[in-house]
Amino acid sequence: MNVVVAVLIAFGILAVGVLLTRAMSARRIGEEERPAEPEDVSELDVFFVCRECGTEYQVTRLGEIQVPRHCGEPMEVVQRPRPQPELN
């Protein structure tokens, strides 16, 4: 009798483990994959600007975005229009 109970408990633990593993892998399959390499975005003219002191960082490559802090405050994202070349 003890052997039957032990086998049932082992089967229950195995079933829960399989269900949890499937649930975790299904969530990963549905997620969008990140690019392997950072993307070049220098042509977009995007800047991080500190409103306190005026420091600017231009975003040239985009991977995982984290807004930097300068002067203790988060910097703002600013996209500026690219100046058009003058025609003579």
Side-chain angles (χ1 to χ4, degrees):
M1 183 68 178
N2 288 338
V3 174
V4 173
V5 171
V7 169
L8 288 174
I9 290 173
F11 179 74
I13 292 172
L14 179 65
V16 168
V18 168
L19 288 174
L20 289 175
T21 303
R22 285 185 179 177
M24 289 175 21
S25 66
R27 184 179 303 145
R28 298 229 181 238
I29 291 172
E31 291 180 20
E32 185 176 318
E33 294 184 22
R34 294 183 185 158
E37 304 244 344
E39 183 181 352
D40 181 19
V41 293
S42 58
E43 70 277 356
L44 298 178
D45 292 329
V46 175
F47 296 85
F48 286 115
V49 178
C50 177
R51 295 295 179 197
E52 295 292 319
C53 69
T55 300
E56 297 182 358
Y57 298 127
Q58 183 176 10
V59 179
T60 57
R61 295 174 57 89
L62 187 61
E64 256 187 64
I65 190 165
Q66 290 184 346
V67 177
R69 294 176 87 69
H70 195 268
C71 297
E73 298 296 324
M75 300 178 87
E76 295 183 15
V77 179
V78 177
Q79 184 173 11
R80 298 189 181 124
R82 184 167 286 211
Q84 299 295 326
E86 294 182 21
L87 299 173
N88 290 335

